[in-house]
Each structure stands twice: as structure tokens, then as C-alpha cells.
Amino acid sequence: MIECIRIQRFKTLLDARFPLAALNLFSGLNGLGKSSLLQTLLLLRQSYEKNTLESKGLLLKGEYLTLGTGQDILSEQAESDTLEFTLTWTDNMPTRFVFEYAPNSDLQPISQKPDMQSPETLSLFNTNFQYLSADRIGPKNSYEMSDFHITTLNTLGSHGEYAVHYIAEHGQHMLPIPALCHKNATSCNLLENINCWMSELSPGIQVQAVLEHHLNSASLGYAFVHGKDVTALFKPQNVGFGLTFVLPVVTALLRAQPGDLLVIENPEAHLHPAGQTVIGRMCALAAANGVQLFVESHSDHFLNGIRVAVRQELVSAEMVSLFFLERDSDAVTHASTVRHPSIDNEGRIDFWPEGFFDEWDRQLEKLL
């Protein structure tokens, strides 16, 4: 597990330190740096995959994200022309990554070779890693197939584009984490539990994923249980957009194993508030059972799902870290400040910075 990350001179993070836990939630107003921590992980990952991290430098353009050139990522008020990321893993010495500033290049040259101890054992760099961007797949007539991605790389794709293929291939496999087996499930296989958890988002829903080998694609359909009857299959385009959009998130959580690292942007997008709370509870259960999650969210309902999970002792308060990024508009420097509210065992939060999931209260106060 990654225990701490220090980021220096990257975008709005002049010098920011993040003490991490199993479940890490990042929030803040738009443009204030809440995505920068996630981007740090993704830059390191894509550079490692392209074999540039240890010998050439930090690759800004790749499979996970594209950030432009050096002039787009160096902090406005940087006092030196270097980017530094220091990561501390459990049972490992801190690893310091230092890169020189190349303003017009999408490769920031390595300044000194990092002392990486067995990177293949770290979830950030091996096949125990999954990233799901905010730009996920929506309803389509067919979905991509790739045995290489779902088997060799062990990924659903950054956009969840291989989730339907994965469900079709592995739907009968048992969940690696029994605690994620839904209370209404009759077995602990993946498809049964996808259906049960998705039924909390849309009652009675049944997911059908079928491989169309002759077309080199996979098809997705939804049916609904009503009493003893089941409807005909509906195309994804004729069912709520949010169901298909969240399917890769539910699948990623249910297939996760202890030791995995999941990076998920806006897991609650396009869901009813009750559904957002369910996804928060699922993330808490995964974190309590050995999965490390980095989640960016704007949803107070998602946060409350985590808080209730803490109160119900599904996950301990020590396993949850909250980060809120803010910036004083009157400040001399264009840099973000990291605030770190804490949750206690009752699910209460010790302080609420202005703008930290408080919009509901602010608008209610105006109404009253």
C-alpha cells in the first residue's frame, strides 16, 4: 500500500503532502488540484509501462492521460525547474522521483535514477492496478473485446471499454473478496453479485453480457425481474444512461483482490443519490478488505455512504482519508492548500472547510 505521497512543483501543488489510507477521497472546487494527485499516479504508471520512468523521464502523453508539455505542468511559482514526487510504500523505503523541466517536450527528463526496489511487486506498476476515468463507456450496440487486456494486463480498460467482455468471460468466477458478496446473492460468483448490487441502483435488473466472436465484439443487455416474471432484454440505449456508465465501477470493485490499487474518477456520475450512496458503501467494503482506492468525487451522497459504512463498522475510520483542496483567491501565489478532515468511529467529520460538501446546507439556509 502507498502510505504517503509528497508532490512538489506540479501544477497547483507547490509542495503538498498526502498521508494516505486504504480509501482516499479527493474533493475540491474545479481547477484547484484535486485531480493532480491522481494524475501523479497515472503519469508514473504510464511512464513505467513505456519503459521511460527509470531511464528517460516522465511521459506526459500516453494511454492514461495527456497533459501537454512541461510548461503545462510546472507550478506557476516554482522556485526551481524540477518536478519531484516522493512515494512511501508499506515495508519499503521512500522512492524519490525527480525530473528536469523541459518546457516544450512531452517527456520531462529524469534528473536522477530513482531507487526503486522491485517495482514489479508494487500495485502501482504491476497488473494489480485499475484506472477508470470520468470519461467511461456509455450505452452502445456493441463493446470491444480484448483477451490481451482482460487476461494478460488484467484490466477493464481506462474507460471501462472491456468491462462487458470481462463479465462475459468471468461472470461465473467467484469473488476474490467474500465480504463484497451481496446479502441477497444466492452465490458468490461475479455475475450474480453484479446483478444484486446493480439492483440497488435499479430494482430487479439483470445484466446479460454475450460474446459475439464472429463480430469480435461483446453485446450487453438488461432484463428486469418482476415477481416470478422476467422482461425481455432491453438494449443499453433504452435503459438509464447511468446504469451502463457505472457498470465498469461495480465490476472493478467486485473483481478486486486484496493488494489491488484502484483509481476511479467520479464513480457516482449519472446515478440517483441513493445509488451514489451504494457505490460509497462498496468502496468502503473493498478498502476494508485489502484494496487501496484513490477516488475523486463531488458527491456528498458518496461521502455519506462511506460515513455510514464507518458507523456500521464495515470499515474502520483509520482506513479512510479525506482530502479537500482549496485556494485563497487573494493569495500571492497560485497554489492549492490541502486540508485533511478526519472521520471518527461514529462517521462524524471533525471540521468542514468552506466548500467541503456543504452546498446542500448553504442552499437550505437560503431557503429558510
Side-chain angles (χ1 to χ4, degrees), residues 135-328:
D135 181 23
R136 295 189 290 276
I137 58 166
K140 298 169 60 177
N141 286 323
S142 62
Y143 296 86
E144 294 184 60
M145 284 178 57
S146 174
D147 188 66
F148 175 70
H149 280 85
I150 70 168
T151 302
T152 305
L153 299 182
N154 189 37
T155 178
L156 304 179
S158 298
H159 307 285
E161 62 268 34
Y162 306 116
V164 178
H165 182 191
Y166 187 91
I167 294 168
E169 288 276 14
H170 299 283
Q172 300 308 312
H173 290 191
M174 295 296 106
L175 300 188
I177 298 176
L180 280 164
C181 188
H182 194 276
K183 62 182 180 180
N184 295 334
T186 57
S187 77
C188 265
N189 73 40
L190 176 64
L191 183 57
E192 170 77 6
N193 283 276
I194 287 176
N195 287 336
C196 288
W197 283 105
M198 292 285 285
S199 289
E200 292 204 36
L201 312 179
S202 184
I205 195 169
Q206 301 284 295
V207 175
Q208 183 182 88
V210 177
L211 300 179
E212 308 282 359
H213 288 288
H214 61 291
L215 298 173
N216 194 32
S217 64
S219 64
L220 176 66
Y222 298 106
F224 293 86
V225 176
H226 295 284
K228 296 182 179 180
D229 299 323
V230 181
T231 69
L233 279 179
F234 293 92
K235 293 180 182 296
Q237 297 94 322
N238 296 321
V239 178
F241 185 93
L243 294 175
T244 301
F245 206 70
V246 80
L247 183 60
V249 176
V250 172
T251 305
L253 290 168
L254 292 179
R255 82 181 191 110
Q257 304 182 49
D260 281 4
L261 190 158
L262 271 60
V263 178
I264 308 177
E265 297 174 348
N266 304 117
E268 78 290 341
H270 303 293
L271 290 181
H272 181 276
Q276 297 177 32
T277 302
V278 170
I279 301 301
R281 185 164 79 249
M282 291 186 72
C283 288
L285 282 168
N289 288 274
V291 180
Q292 187 171 30
L293 296 101
F294 293 80
V295 180
E296 178 188 331
S297 176
H298 294 283
S299 170
D300 53 345
H301 305 294
F302 178 82
L303 170 63
N304 288 336
I306 296 171
R307 295 173 65 194
V308 171
V310 170
R311 171 140 190 181
Q312 294 176 342
E313 300 182 349
L314 301 178
V315 63
S316 69
E318 292 74 21
M319 288 184 165
V320 179
S321 280
L322 306 177
F323 300 97
F324 178 72
L325 284 90
E326 61 183 4
R327 187 176 68 238
D328 185 351

